[in-house]
């Protein structure tokens, strides 16, 4: 355990020196005897956690992979916590989705036994025309992107309320207010109404969405406005995190 602790202190010390540091300086900063520091530094270089260049030590690829993985987990945790907060505050399931590499991807869902999420009874990727998440993401694409998506996933009716054809869907998307919410009522699942709010993160089309049982449809607009306000308050801190 002592060797692990000393090695971690060396890694932390190296991380503080963007332009590298020699063994003597690292030994002094960590309070280690120089022979001990040399031994641990050589081991860390051998394992890829450090690299040595002209007598200076830098973080290696293995340490950078750990850092990257940790940062990604922290970003994801930020999104999960935000969705859970909104779920409890507004009393609705909350979804986060992106359009990536030509596909609709629901990346995070926060629900509860009292407010369950919509069951994915028909593949969300193939039925983007029918649900608020998909319509909101498609509305953020350019005309070529929308037509490419519909060539791969043509419009098909999955409930009596689903949009009937590509032309009707494209007209609807064109009428969607820029960065305005998209509301869908029982087009994907009977007995369920949904709303999705567009979010721009770099070049990625993203959305936060909510759902409610149809008998609570009168809550949908107010709940959507509340979510918009909450997202606006946290958008600065979420801007990086939601690029999961």
């Amino acid at each position: 355990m002592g060797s692990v602790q000393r090695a971690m202190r060396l890694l932390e010390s190296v991380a503080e020196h963007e332009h590298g540091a020699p063994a003597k300086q690292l030994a002094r900063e960590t309070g280690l005897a120089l022979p001990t520091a040399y031994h641990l530094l050589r081991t860390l270089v051998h394992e890829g956690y450090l690299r040595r260049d002209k007598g200076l030590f830098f973080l290696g690829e293995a340490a950078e992979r750990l850092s990257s993985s940790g940062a990604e987990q922290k970003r994801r945790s930020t999104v999960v916590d935000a969705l859970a907060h909104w779920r409890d505050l507004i009393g609705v399931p909350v979804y986060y989705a992106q359009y990536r590499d030509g596909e609709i991807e629901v990346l995070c869902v926060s629900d509860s036994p009292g407010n369950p999420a919509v069951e994915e009874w028909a593949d969300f990727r193939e039925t983007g025309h029918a649900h608020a998440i998909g319509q909101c993401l498609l509305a953020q694409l350019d005309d070529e992107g929308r037509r490419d998506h519909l060539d791969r996933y043509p419009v098909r009716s999955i409930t009596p309320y689903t949009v009937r054809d590509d032309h009707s869907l494209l007209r609807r998307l064109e009428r969607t207010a820029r960065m305005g919410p998209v509301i869908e009522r029982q087009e994907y699942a009977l007995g369920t109404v949904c709303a999705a709010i567009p979010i721009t993160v770099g070049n990625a089309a993203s959305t936060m969405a909510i759902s409610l049982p149809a008998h609570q449809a009168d809550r949908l607009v107010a709940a959507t406005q509340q979510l918009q306000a909450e997202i606006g308050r946290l958008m600065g801190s979420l801007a990086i995190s939601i690029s999961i």
Side-chain angles (χ1 to χ4, degrees):
M1 182 64 71
S3 294
V4 173
Q5 290 173 333
R6 289 190 287 270
M8 293 302 295
R9 278 155 49 195
L10 283 170
L11 281 172
E12 291 171 353
S13 184
V14 172
E16 293 175 358
H17 297 282
E18 181 181 355
H19 303 292
K24 288 183 179 179
Q25 181 179 355
L26 295 170
R28 184 172 61 253
E29 291 177 352
T30 55
L32 298 176
L34 186 57
T36 301
Y38 268 127
H39 171 70
L40 291 172
L41 288 168
R42 283 196 299 268
T43 301
L44 290 168
V45 169
H46 177 73
E47 296 297 329
Y49 291 99
L50 294 179
R51 62 182 177 87
R52 187 177 184 181
D53 183 21
K54 298 178 180 178
L56 301 178
F57 291 89
F58 302 82
L59 290 180
E61 291 184 2
E64 290 171 354
R65 286 196 300 271
L66 285 175
S67 175
S68 176
S69 177
E72 182 176 344
Q73 291 178 5
K74 184 175 182 179
R75 291 196 301 270
R76 184 172 183 84
S77 178
T78 299
V79 175
V80 170
D81 290 347
L83 264 63
H85 171 69
W86 295 332
R87 174 202 67 203
D88 295 340
L89 180 69
I90 306 173
V92 294
V94 186
Y95 312 75
Y96 170 59
Q98 274 192 352
Y99 195 84
R100 301 199 300 194
D101 299 323
E103 301 292 348
I104 293 168
E105 295 188 28
V106 179
L107 300 173
C108 189
V109 179
S110 186
D111 64 351
S112 65
N115 295 294
V118 177
E119 181 183 354
E120 187 179 355
W121 72 275
D123 193 323
F124 279 144
R125 294 173 300 177
E126 299 178 4
T127 57
H129 61 282
H131 49 73
I133 286 174
Q135 292 175 23
C136 186
L137 293 174
L138 293 175
Q140 295 176 62
L141 304 182
D142 58 22
D143 185 63
E144 182 180 352
R146 294 173 192 166
R147 292 186 182 279
D148 172 73
H149 184 88
L150 294 176
D151 285 343
R152 290 179 289 117
Y153 301 116
V155 168
R156 57 188 176 91
S157 295
I158 57 176
T159 80
Y161 303 97
T162 308
V163 64
R164 294 304 182 199
D165 53 59
D166 290 7
H167 179 68
S168 298
L169 176 66
L170 290 171
R171 287 185 57 195
R172 179 192 296 184
L173 296 177
E174 289 169 358
R175 292 197 301 268
T176 300
R178 176 172 173 76
M179 304 313 291
V182 172
I183 291 178
E184 165 262 304
R185 302 176 189 274
Q186 303 191 83
E187 294 181 47
Y188 174 78
L190 292 175
T192 302
V193 296
C194 303
I197 299 166
I199 300 172
T200 300
V201 183
N203 295 323
S206 305
T207 182
M208 296 283 185
I210 61 175
S211 62
L212 282 166
H215 68 269
Q216 295 182 29
D218 58 335
R219 290 185 55 208
L220 188 62
V221 172
T224 303
Q225 292 172 342
Q226 187 174 4
L227 179 60
Q228 279 183 298
E230 290 296 322
I231 291 172
R233 274 193 281 272
L234 282 180
M235 198 58 216
S237 60
L238 279 177
I240 296 176
S241 298
I242 62 179
S243 300
I244 302 178

